[in-house]
Amino acid sequence: MNTKSIRFRLTLWYSTALIISIAVIFASFYYITQQELYRHTDIILISHAKQVAQEIKQQFEDGYISSRDSLLYNEFGVIPGMMLVITDKEGKILNSTYPNTTVEHEINGLFQQIKTETQEKVLNQSFPGSTQRTILIPLRKENELIGVVMMGHPIDVIQKSLNSLLTNLISLFALLVVPTIFGGLILAKRAMQPVNTISEQMQRITSENLKERVSSPQTHDEIETLVLTFNNLLTRLEAAFTRERQFIGDVAHELKTPLATQQSTIEVLLSKKRTNEDYQKAIADLLIDNKRLTDTVKDVLDLAWAETDKTQISTESTNLTELMEELYEITAQLAKSKGLEVVKRFEKNVNVYIPGKRDKIFRALLNIVDNAIKYTRLGTISLSLTSGNGTATIRVKDTGEGVSADDAPHLFDRFYRGKNSHRVGGTGLGLAIAYSIVTSCKGSITVKNNEGKGSTFIAIFPKTH
Ligand SMILES: Nc1ncnc2c1ncn2[C@@H]1O[C@H](COP(=O)(O)OP(=O)(O)O)[C@@H](O)[C@H]1O
Ligand SMILES: [Mg+2]
């Protein structure tokens, strides 16, 4: 099994958590039971032993210790099996319910533990034949140890019960571990099943079948959200792919026509001997086609350039006021040959800054101005720049023939040329380039149409400051 898989990790976390919980519960149960059993024994043992200790202390003070029989069974009511040992201040056994020699070693050990203490001590001590819950009471007179009373109650039964409880708990724990891990595995498998299913479906989707979609599990959970998000991504990718394919087709088409015309002109020219005028005319035709090819290739490259780093957030900022002044100068020059008037309406003494690269923004606006000059025969072209409310607005207004209602929705499409364009040269890419640049600067571009009386192109940019 892949130890990096989510399924493995889920199983591991789940099993570990469950096993630890079970272990803690079992251990607590064992501990509480043990404490409870000892507590009962201790209560009886302590109260009994203290009475005995008081009596013995008196006897020590009187200098007389009762004989074994009367002391142990008659005087203090010690029940059979219970232990009572009395030692002097050196640990020598004065009286014992065990034959002295058999327990000397243990008694000595206990004496060492209590001889320096002032308080009684309760512990488990094993003696030959049985384990005793033992209380050790030091007897002191004016801080001097005069003897020790040791009393014990057999706890073999309790220990046996505790041992059997422990064995049972451990067996039960071992029995639970395997089902816990298997349960974890099954749960993790079920949880990951939809992920495996959709990842199989995703694998089948390539650039060739972008139309396919991953089927939604209809579970209203995170997996369904993931599928929906992925399908949305596919829709966008499909649209982008179709657009790019269409574009390649359009480019090929645009290049094919002038190339074919050039070829036939050359073929006709070569078919027989021609006059000098024929050659000149043919070369002039070739030049026109050549120019068209060059323009198209240049615009295609410009479009590619406009689209580069579109997704990156530009950190550059452009002084739009300054740029518009320069644009105005160029427009005035270009318009001169056609006898068009160019006017500017810029806000005075304000410098407007927008995000984006200067040369790109300039190229976008130049394309709009170029159209205004191309599609206007008489009149005025006006450039305006206004700003306010976080945005800067540029208007390029002309008094040309305007855009027809049919053309208006498609003006910004690649290679789209309007009805009014047949008399003037162009590739149909100018506005597509402008659109691509303006949107990459988080701006927008629209056209306000006044068919027959001119058009106004409006570009709105967010300001940087
Ligand atoms: N100022 C304008 N006045 C009238 N029509 C315009 C104007 N600007 C653009 N158009 C129309 O939009 C079309 C697309 O413009 P554009 O992408 O620059 O291509 P091109 O200028 O090469 O034809 C043009 O063919 C034209 O029909
Ligand atoms: Mg143009």
Side-chain angles (χ1 to χ4, degrees):
M1 189 186 223
N2 176 7
T3 53
K4 292 234 160 36
S5 71
I6 297 182
R7 189 180 157 198
F8 178 80
R9 279 183 282 162
L10 272 180
T11 312
L12 192 70
W13 293 336
Y14 163 85
S15 311
T16 313
L18 214 63
I19 287 170
I20 291 177
S21 312
I22 295 174
V24 168
I25 292 170
F26 280 14
S28 314
F29 180 68
Y30 179 80
Y31 180 75
I32 292 168
T33 312
Q34 188 195 44
Q35 292 302 311
E36 205 51 27
L37 289 174
Y38 283 152
R39 202 169 62 85
H40 279 293
T41 318
D42 290 355
I43 290 172
I44 300 165
L45 194 60
I46 291 169
S47 81
H48 204 72
K50 278 193 171 166
Q51 279 175 20
V52 174
Q54 214 168 23
E55 192 64 34
I56 301 277
K57 193 176 173 196
Q58 191 58 52
Q59 291 187 5
F60 264 114
E61 281 167 5
D62 296 347
Y64 153 81
I65 300 291
S66 300
S67 74
R68 183 174 178 266
D69 288 348
S70 70
L71 165 76
L72 302 173
Y73 300 112
N74 307 333
E75 211 171 323
F76 303 125
V78 174
I79 52 160
M82 268 183 92
M83 175 202 82
L84 179 65
V85 175
I86 299 156
T87 74
D88 66 6
K89 59 184 177 186
E90 257 94 45
K92 192 167 147 289
I93 301 171
L94 300 176
N95 239 321
S96 165
T97 47
Y98 281 106
N100 288 7
T101 46
T102 52
V103 292
E104 241 169 19
H105 178 70
E106 288 84 355
I107 297 295
N108 188 40
L110 291 172
F111 178 77
Q112 295 306 327
Q113 288 189 45
I114 196 68
K115 68 178 184 188
T116 51
E117 305 282 331
T118 52
Q119 293 293 316
E120 72 267 14
K121 208 170 172 184
V122 180
L123 45 82
N124 292 351
Q125 173 69 42
S126 49
F127 290 101
S130 80
T131 304
Q132 302 267 350
R133 185 76 175 158
T134 311
I135 179 165
L136 310 173
I137 304 178
L139 302 174
R140 287 179 183 276
K141 192 180 176 197
E142 283 150 15
N143 265 340
E144 280 296 309
L145 189 73
I146 53 171
V148 173
V149 171
M150 303 176 182
M151 188 180 247
H153 187 284
I155 48 165
D156 301 79
V157 182
I158 296 180
Q159 284 209 319
K160 259 193 197 148
S161 312
L162 282 175
N163 283 347
S164 115
L165 176 68
L166 189 66
T167 324
N168 282 336
L169 288 178
I170 290 175
S171 324
L172 194 60
F173 180 73
L175 275 177
L176 281 175
V177 167
V178 178
T180 302
I181 294 175
F182 266 104
L185 268 175
I186 292 166
L187 279 181
K189 191 178 175 186
R190 283 188 59 177
M192 294 316 292
Q193 187 55 44
V195 176
N196 292 337
T197 318
I198 63 171
S199 90
E200 273 168 24
Q201 289 189 32
M202 282 176 183
Q203 266 172 10
R204 272 187 260 121
I205 298 172
T206 64
S207 63
E208 301 308 313
N209 57 352
L210 276 179
K211 275 201 170 11
E212 269 192 34
R213 293 290 176 270
V214 176
S215 51
S216 165
Q218 308 279 357
T219 43
H220 308 295
D221 57 4
E222 292 86 345
I223 303 285
E224 188 178 355
T225 316
L226 179 73
V227 168
L228 293 180
T229 316
F230 183 74
N231 282 345
N232 282 340
L233 173 73
L234 277 183
T235 309
R236 291 198 299 274
L237 271 180
E238 190 195 354
F241 253 72
T242 317
R243 216 171 46 234
E244 293 313 308
R245 285 211 180 115
Q246 171 82 35
F247 179 60
I248 293 170
D250 290 344
V251 171
H253 179 77
E254 287 299 315
L255 297 179
K256 218 171 79 189
T257 320
L259 280 173
T261 332
Q262 279 187 339
Q263 194 178 347
S264 69
T265 310
I266 296 169
E267 275 166 4
V268 169
L269 208 59
L270 289 178
S271 59
K272 60 177 187 192
K273 206 152 172 41
R274 305 278 173 184
T275 63
N276 264 356
E277 278 119 58
D278 285 344
Y279 283 126
Q280 264 186 353
K281 192 181 165 298
I283 289 170
D285 285 351
L286 285 174
L287 195 63
I288 291 170
D289 286 332
N290 194 279
K291 190 173 172 311
R292 221 176 122 192
L293 279 171
T294 315
D295 286 351
T296 307
V297 172
K298 197 174 146 295
D299 277 353
V300 168
L301 287 176
D302 273 354
L303 189 63
W305 169 75
E307 308 254 297
T308 56
D309 58 55
K310 200 172 177 176
T311 48
Q312 284 165 19
I313 295 156
S314 168
T315 48
E316 272 180 57
S317 156
T318 296
N319 183 337
L320 196 60
T321 314
E322 203 183 279
L323 185 147
M324 287 301 287
E325 286 292 348
E326 195 185 327
L327 188 71
Y328 168 75
E329 300 295 331
I330 290 178
T331 315
Q333 284 210 328
L334 293 172
K336 215 188 241 170
S337 56
K338 280 186 91 174
L340 298 169
E341 188 191 355
V342 182
V343 295
K344 60 171 179 176
R345 286 196 194 93
F346 300 161
E347 276 172 28
K348 288 205 178 67
N349 305 327
V350 207
N351 271 330
V352 179
Y353 286 87
I354 59 167
K357 290 192 172 143
R358 187 182 196 280
D359 48 354
K360 286 198 170 177
I361 297 168
F362 192 81
R363 179 65 213 254
L365 298 177
L366 189 65
N367 283 0
I368 296 170
V369 163
D370 177 60
N371 283 345
I373 298 170
K374 265 197 331 197
Y375 299 105
T376 308
R377 260 186 278 176
L378 278 174
T380 315
I381 290 163
S382 84
L383 304 182
S384 85
L385 168 62
T386 50
S387 73
N389 232 350
T391 57
T393 307
I394 294 163
R395 287 190 176 75
V396 178
K397 186 168 185 284
D398 64 53
T399 52
E401 55 203 289
V403 180
S404 79
D406 293 346
D407 291 335
H410 306 290
L411 288 198
F412 299 99
D413 293 353
R414 293 154 170 185
F415 290 113
Y416 188 84
R417 304 206 69 209
K419 286 200 195 80
N420 54 1
S421 66
H422 56 274
R423 284 175 286 100
V424 271
T427 58
L429 286 175
L431 285 182
I433 295 170
Y435 181 84
S436 169
I437 294 173
V438 173
T439 48
S440 74
C441 299
K442 305 273 171 295
S444 67
I445 180 165
T446 47
V447 58
K448 213 170 97 193
N449 192 27
N450 196 356
E451 206 180 345
K453 291 187 188 145
S455 46
T456 309
F457 282 81
I458 304 162
I460 301 174
F461 294 94
K463 284 198 292 191
T464 44
H465 52 82

